[in-house]
Amino acid sequence: MKINIIVALLSVMCSVACQRPSPTITNNSTVAPQRGVTSATHRGVGVVEAIDPEKRTIKINHEEIKGYMEAMSMDFHAREATLLNDLKPGDRIEFTLEETAGIVVITNIKKL
Ligand SMILES: [Cu+2]
C-alpha cells in the first residue's frame, strides 16, 4: 500500500511536469495490459540517480523523450525487479517505457 502511494505521488509529480493525465495504479505487483486498451512505448536515454530494489523503482535523470516528455529527473516503476540488477547511480542507460491506460512502466534497460 505504501509503495502504491509513493509511486502514485511520483507519477503525479511527473504527470504535472509532463502535463499528462494522472495515472492510477491499482496493483503493486503487476501492471497487466487491459483488454482493448492500447499501449504506447517510448525510448529514453538518461543517467541513473538512485535505485530502490524493494519498491522496484529507479530514478533517472533523462533527456528529452521526443513527443512525450521534456528532460527531467524522475522515478520510474520497473516491470520486473531483475531489470534493476547490475545498475548503479551514475550509469548511463537507454530504457524503454510502456504506457498502458496512463500507467507507465520500464520494460527494458540497456547500459550505454
Ligand atoms: Cu519524465
Side-chain angles (χ1 to χ4, degrees), residues 14-72:
C14 184
S15 300
V16 172
C18 302
Q19 298 180 317
R20 303 187 67 79
S22 303
T24 48
I25 292 175
T26 53
N27 183 315
N28 69 0
S29 55
T30 56
V31 183
Q34 294 168 30
R35 204 174 294 235
V37 177
T38 55
S39 59
T41 58
H42 305 274
R43 198 158 292 175
V45 170
V47 175
V48 177
E49 292 194 320
I51 294 161
D52 190 328
E54 271 179 39
K55 293 178 190 142
R56 216 196 296 158
T57 58
I58 178 169
K59 186 172 191 173
I60 304 172
N61 190 342
H62 69 75
E63 295 171 6
E64 181 190 1
I65 303 171
K66 283 236 177 343
Y68 187 59
M69 271 188 203
E70 54 195 89
M72 71 181 81

